[in-house]
């Protein structure tokens, strides 16, 4: 692959469910809608012309409501689902051209997966679940347990090794799921609505664990969710899926600040923008006035608090090497956090 | 209007010829292959005789202790242990020890055969819908056809004795083993299977480490059913020469010995309950992890 930063590239991927998906392909390419295909031709359009480049060592979120095809999409990456047509390139290999054995090796060593409803083996303990992937790789039990113990500790489950999944809460079960996926040392991590089944508080907990781990592991993570807050919080890149098509791709800020259409705007309007927008996005030309020096990547919400607590009414924005590159006033911060529809209503007054 | 009131039967002579030709065909088959088939089953017969002799040679206290230990291992329940030991003692006390040992040996061999044959068939059936659609009607026939009907060809082929009895019992008792193995594997959570796929498990790894362990409670229910059904066949099998508790029952029927029939019948019931409690509680203990309590 030409671009060294791209880890996974999905090209012209179509998935149609039904008896004769190939024969429907032409119709879909001509622009027959999902509803029409369903009502008149009795086929379900799963994915339509997906083109997606996923960067190495980042978290790519795929967001969409139920039925948008997001779970179908992630299952194409490790080929749990066969596409109707298309290509899935990982490094320089097309997953869809792998033979059975190569595919198995790929799944064993290079891509692991975390599932929405955990999918743990109920008859095995936490330890036995965590070594599952290593066992399939053929690792000796002693080495596997040593490796697994490390990951069990990293996800905060030390002391629970001998418990069965049925004895653990949902959040703890998903920690096992995460440890099992991390233990195989694959550099791609596929997470299918991994935190969606958890309570809000525990979900935030798990997001923190994931972000912490990612800080040092730098895996390529594909994360599926239906929750925009979650998408904005953990995603380096977000792709929004609707009716099997990618509607918009971009960073969290791009999605919030420049929604491509009303559908996405509708999603983003209730979002706490202060937790998404960074200072560098709203900063102005530097001036001489004093103020606390804050990083350009700091979120507006955090900056607002710091500026309010400081004697001055503005903050000086610095880049990675500590140079002042701009300033942000307290009013800019408040304006950035306001909901867009309220903003426009104020203008009308 | 004759055709309307009279059924269009095959002529009496045609019918007789038809039956005769089937009988003749099978008789020819028996003459040609009877001995080969008999020698094919010879090892089975030897094993059965060996086991029966072993059980009979075992001192009775040792046998009761062994059963009690098995009951404890399987159920960890004192009630089952004491119940098994006391009922075995009563059986012996009432003079039915030897017949009981014969019956136990044939039940054990039959159960081993049913597991050995039924498990693979059930696995094949669970992996292919076509296999399932072929095997299911065969199982239906095996379970509903009156056992006397298949006793006829078995006896014609192998004569009277232990092996034909064993075959008859296996035919009757194997269907639940196959059915429940198939069902158990098919009921394994699809998401867990998907996870196995996602981690690159081969079909064999999936079968051995995921499907069979998760189907085990159902498979055990199948073993339990198989044991119960083979005990139910003991009396019928005794008609073709299988020794054991069935023979005194048969004698009791023809001579109207009420007490004899009752005692031997109750001994069969007692055996059934012992086998049932042991295998069932073991099956339950296998799924203790599902309840969430510590073992």
């Amino acid at each position: 692959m030409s671009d060294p930063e791209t880890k996974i590239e999905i090209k012209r991927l179509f998935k149609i469910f039904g008896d004769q998906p190939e024969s429907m392909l032409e119709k879909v390419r001509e622009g027959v809608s999902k509803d029409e295909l369903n009502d008149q031709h009795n086929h379900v359009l799963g994915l339509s012309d997906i083109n997606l480049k996923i960067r190495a060592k980042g978290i790519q979120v795929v967001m969409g409501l139920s039925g948008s095809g997001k779970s179908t999409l992630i299952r194409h990456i490790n080929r749990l689902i066969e596409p109707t047509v298309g290509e899935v390139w990982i490094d320089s290999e097309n997953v869809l051209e792998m033979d059975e054995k190569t595919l198995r090796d790929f799944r064993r060593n290079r891509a692991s997966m975390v599932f929405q409803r955990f999918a743990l083996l109920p008859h095995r303990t936490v330890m036995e679940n965590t070594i599952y992937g290593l066992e399939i790789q053929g690792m000796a039990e002693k080495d596997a347990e040593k490796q697994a113990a490390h990951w069990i500790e990293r996800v905060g489950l030390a002391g629970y090794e001998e418990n069965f999944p049925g004895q653990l809460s949902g959040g703890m079960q998903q920690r096992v799921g995460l440890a099992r996926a991390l233990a195989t040392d694959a550099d791609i991590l596929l997470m299918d609505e991994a935190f969606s089944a958890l309570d809000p508080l525990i979900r935030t907990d798990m997001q923190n664990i994931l972000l912490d781990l990612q800080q040092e592991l730098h895996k390529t993570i594909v994360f599926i969710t239906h929750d925009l807050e979650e998408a904005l919080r953990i995603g380096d890149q977000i792709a929004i899926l609707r009716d099997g098509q990618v509607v918009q791709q971009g960073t969290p800020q791009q999605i919030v600040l420049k929604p491509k259409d009303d559908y996405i705007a509708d999603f983003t309007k209730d979002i706490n923008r202060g937790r998404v927008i960074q200072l560098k996005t709203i900063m102005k030309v530097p001036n001489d006035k004093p103020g606390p020096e804050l990083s350009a990547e700091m979120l507006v919400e955090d900056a607002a608090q710091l500026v309010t607590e400081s004697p001055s009414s503005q903050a000086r924005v610095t880049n990675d090497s500590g140079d002042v590159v701009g300033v942000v006033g307290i009013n800019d911060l408040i304006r950035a956090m306001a909901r867009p529809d309220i903003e426009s209503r104020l203008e009308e007054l | 209007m004759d055709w309307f009131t009279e059924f269009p039967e095959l002529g009496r002579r045609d019918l007789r010829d038809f039956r005769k030709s089937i009988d003749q065909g099978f008789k020819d088959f028996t003459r040609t292959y009877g001995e080969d088939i008999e020698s094919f089953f010879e090892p089975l017969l030897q094993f059965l005789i060996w086991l029966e002799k072993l059980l009979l040679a075992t001192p009775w206290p040792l046998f009761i202790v062994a059963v009690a230990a098995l009951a404890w291992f399987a159920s960890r329940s004192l009630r089952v242990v004491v119940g098994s030991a006391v009922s075995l003692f009563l059986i012996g006390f009432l003079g039915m020890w030897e017949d009981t040992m014969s019956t136990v040996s044939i039940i054990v061999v039959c159960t081993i055969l049913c597991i050995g044959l039924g498990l693979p068939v059930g696995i094949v059936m669970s992996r292919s819908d076509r296999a399932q659609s072929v095997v299911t009607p065969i199982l239906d026939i095996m379970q509903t056809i009156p056992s006397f009907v298949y006793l006829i060809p078995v006896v014609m082929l192998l004569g009277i004795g232990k092996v034909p009895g064993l075959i008859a019992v296996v035919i009757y008792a194997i269907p639940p083993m196959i059915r429940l193995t198939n069902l158990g594997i098919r009921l394994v959570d699809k998401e867990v299977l998907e996870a196995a796929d996602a981690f690159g498990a081969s079909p064999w790894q999936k079968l051995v480490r995921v499907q069979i362990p998760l189907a085990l409670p159902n498979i055990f229910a199948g073993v339990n059913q198989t044991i119960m059904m083979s005990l139910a066949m003991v009396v019928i099998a005794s008609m073709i020469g299988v020794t054991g508790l069935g023979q005194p029952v048969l004698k009791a029927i023809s001579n109207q010995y009420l007490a004899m029939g009752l005692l031997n019948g109750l001994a069969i019931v007692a055996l059934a309950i012992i086998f049932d409690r042991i295998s069932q509680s073991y099956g339950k203990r296998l799924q203790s992890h599902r309840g969430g309590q510590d073992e």
Side-chain angles (χ1 to χ4, degrees):
Chain A
M1 201 174 297
S2 53
D3 186 354
E5 276 215 358
T6 304
K7 180 82 181 170
I8 306 170
E9 184 171 7
I10 299 169
K11 284 185 188 166
R12 298 181 296 277
L13 189 80
F14 286 85
K15 176 66 187 178
I16 300 163
F17 295 98
D19 299 331
Q20 290 172 312
E22 284 85 6
S23 65
M24 293 294 135
L25 205 56
E26 215 35 54
K27 293 194 171 62
V28 173
R29 284 196 170 124
E30 282 162 12
V32 172
S33 77
K34 182 172 181 164
D35 290 338
E36 206 183 326
L37 197 74
N38 199 1
D39 296 342
Q40 295 183 10
H41 305 289
N42 219 358
H43 279 65
V44 177
L45 181 57
L47 295 170
S48 171
D49 198 17
I50 303 285
N51 290 283
L52 196 61
K53 281 187 182 178
I54 295 171
R55 286 185 200 163
K57 302 180 178 178
I59 302 184
Q60 167 76 52
V61 172
V62 177
M63 201 218 112
L65 300 182
S66 55
S68 62
K70 54 191 190 303
S71 288
T72 310
L73 177 58
I74 200 172
R75 280 169 176 69
H76 278 90
I77 296 176
N78 59 356
R79 210 168 139 192
L80 287 175
I81 297 180
E82 295 281 339
T84 307
V85 68
E87 295 164 31
V88 176
W89 291 88
I90 289 173
D91 296 327
S92 51
E93 280 173 278
N94 187 351
V95 179
L96 303 173
E97 280 171 359
M98 290 179 179
D99 60 30
E100 212 173 304
K101 190 180 169 304
T102 321
L103 178 64
R104 233 167 16 226
D105 283 342
F106 167 74
R107 288 172 176 170
R108 283 177 188 177
N109 301 309
R110 292 170 58 200
S112 56
M113 195 161 181
V114 183
F115 295 84
Q116 177 173 15
R117 299 209 298 122
F118 323 136
L120 301 174
L121 297 168
H123 63 292
R124 291 175 151 224
T125 62
V126 168
M127 174 56 89
E128 287 164 346
N129 264 289
T130 311
I131 63 170
Y132 182 65
L134 301 173
E135 202 178 280
I136 292 176
Q137 286 177 2
M139 189 183 276
E141 199 180 309
K142 274 236 170 77
D143 301 335
E145 284 189 357
K146 211 170 129 200
Q147 195 161 327
H150 168 72
W151 292 110
I152 290 174
E153 205 202 310
R154 284 305 305 269
V155 298
L157 279 182
Y160 289 95
E161 287 87 349
E162 298 311 314
N163 286 66
F164 286 99
Q167 301 167 316
L168 304 178
S169 68
M172 288 162 92
Q173 289 189 43
Q174 194 57 302
R175 286 170 197 237
V176 181
L178 190 58
R180 174 176 70 177
L182 291 171
T184 65
D185 218 15
D187 55 0
I188 297 173
L189 188 58
L190 306 172
M191 305 185 73
D192 179 27
E193 299 226 34
F195 305 150
S196 299
L198 307 175
D199 297 335
L201 273 179
I202 295 173
R203 193 184 311 170
T204 315
D205 246 17
M206 291 299 287
Q207 290 165 358
N208 289 335
I209 291 178
L210 181 68
L211 291 172
D212 280 353
L213 285 166
Q214 176 65 355
Q215 290 256 314
E216 65 183 80
L217 298 177
H218 303 297
K219 289 186 186 285
T220 306
I221 301 179
V222 182
F223 192 100
I224 301 288
T225 181
H226 62 254
D227 178 0
L228 186 61
E229 292 262 8
E230 185 167 68
L232 295 171
R233 182 147 187 260
I234 66 173
D236 296 319
Q237 289 284 323
I238 298 176
I240 295 183
L241 216 57
R242 184 192 184 189
D243 289 346
Q245 282 171 312
V246 176
V247 215
Q248 186 174 3
Q249 285 185 60
T251 63
Q253 289 199 87
Q254 283 166 343
I255 302 274
V256 172
L257 294 174
K258 291 185 193 130
K260 203 168 179 183
D261 57 18
D262 291 347
Y263 177 77
I264 298 174
D266 212 34
F267 266 128
T268 53
K269 73 168 195 262
D270 291 330
I271 285 302
N272 182 346
R273 301 157 71 92
R275 284 198 198 142
V276 177
I277 300 171
Q278 298 171 343
L279 293 185
K280 64 179 177 196
T281 315
I282 58 163
M283 68 187 179
K284 291 174 176 162
V285 198
N287 55 29
D288 296 335
K289 289 184 202 157
E293 292 194 352
L294 305 176
S295 152
E297 264 98 46
M298 183 176 267
L299 296 176
V300 165
E301 190 180 67
D302 301 331
Q305 191 163 358
L306 291 171
V307 174
T308 325
E309 281 163 5
S310 84
S312 92
S313 63
Q314 72 160 19
R316 295 159 70 79
V317 182
T318 59
N319 63 11
D320 288 343
S321 41
D323 306 326
V324 174
V325 289
V327 293
V328 179
I330 186 100
N331 286 336
D332 303 325
L333 292 170
I334 292 170
R335 187 182 292 274
M337 282 191 278
R339 278 171 50 159
D341 52 336
I342 291 174
E343 214 169 59
S344 57
R345 226 178 297 157
L346 286 174
E347 277 163 17
E348 283 166 23
L349 282 175
Chain B
M1 289 295 278
D2 245 11
W3 63 270
F4 191 71
T5 47
E6 292 293 319
F7 204 93
E9 276 180 336
L10 203 62
R12 203 170 270 213
R13 168 176 289 183
D14 291 339
L15 202 59
R16 197 184 56 210
D17 288 346
F18 172 62
R19 288 198 297 241
K20 249 190 179 165
S21 66
I22 293 182
D23 286 352
Q24 196 54 48
F26 192 74
K27 265 183 201 149
D28 290 344
F29 174 78
T30 309
R31 267 193 213 113
T32 329
Y33 298 105
E35 265 176 46
D36 293 339
I37 294 175
E38 216 165 312
S39 56
F40 173 77
F41 285 114
E42 185 63 23
L44 194 64
L45 181 65
Q46 292 308 320
F47 178 63
L48 183 59
I49 292 172
W50 173 80
L51 185 68
E52 197 177 341
K53 275 189 182 150
L54 177 76
L55 287 181
L56 281 172
T58 308
W60 65 270
L62 206 65
F63 184 80
I64 293 182
V65 167
V67 170
L70 191 69
W72 175 251
F73 167 74
S75 68
R76 300 285 148 87
S77 148
L78 214 59
R79 242 184 53 198
V80 176
V81 174
V82 172
S84 308
V86 168
S87 38
L88 276 178
F89 181 79
L90 278 177
I91 286 172
F93 192 66
L94 293 169
M96 297 177 287
W97 187 259
E98 284 181 18
D99 284 339
T100 302
M101 289 306 108
S102 301
T103 297
V104 168
S105 65
I106 193 159
I107 299 297
V108 168
V109 173
C110 170
T111 307
I112 293 172
L113 273 178
C114 285
I115 296 174
L117 295 172
L119 198 66
V121 174
I123 290 170
V124 169
M125 209 172 151
S126 72
R127 298 176 85 79
S128 127
D129 285 338
R130 183 181 283 182
Q132 178 172 255
S133 63
V134 172
V135 177
T136 306
I138 297 177
L139 295 180
D140 292 338
I141 294 172
M142 286 162 79
Q143 281 187 300
T144 47
I145 200 166
S147 25
F148 295 108
V149 175
Y150 55 79
L151 282 183
I152 302 166
V154 170
V155 170
M156 278 169 79
L157 206 57
L158 296 166
I160 285 193
K162 285 184 199 299
V163 170
L166 197 66
I167 292 174
V169 176
V170 168
I171 291 176
Y172 183 72
I174 203 172
M177 182 68 210
I178 298 176
R179 276 188 214 274
L180 283 158
T181 303
N182 174 39
L183 180 76
I185 293 180
R186 282 178 184 265
L187 283 181
V188 169
D189 192 353
K190 295 279 172 296
E191 295 188 18
V192 175
L193 282 181
E194 191 182 40
D197 276 331
F199 281 94
S202 63
W204 176 251
Q205 285 174 325
K206 252 194 315 191
L207 181 69
V208 174
R209 299 212 183 118
V210 180
Q211 288 171 309
I212 290 183
L214 288 179
L216 221 46
N218 270 313
I219 294 176
F220 249 83
V223 174
N224 175 280
Q225 286 301 303
T226 291
I227 297 173
M228 295 300 104
M229 291 180 72
S230 46
L231 269 166
M233 271 294 278
V234 161
V235 176
I236 292 176
S238 70
M239 293 176 69
I240 53 171
V242 174
T243 50
L245 290 165
Q247 282 194 334
V249 174
L250 213 58
K251 210 189 289 170
I253 296 171
S254 38
N255 298 309
Q256 299 181 357
Y257 296 148
L258 172 65
M260 187 183 195
L262 204 61
L263 282 179
N264 284 279
L266 286 176
I268 293 177
V269 172
L271 277 187
I273 294 176
I274 294 172
F275 279 130
D276 176 69
R277 294 302 181 271
I278 291 179
S279 61
Q280 225 180 58
S281 50
Y282 185 66
K284 258 189 214 142
R285 251 171 27 93
L286 280 179
Q287 0 181 17
S288 60
H289 57 82
R290 280 163 205 243
Q293 74 272 34
D294 275 320
E295 275 183 79

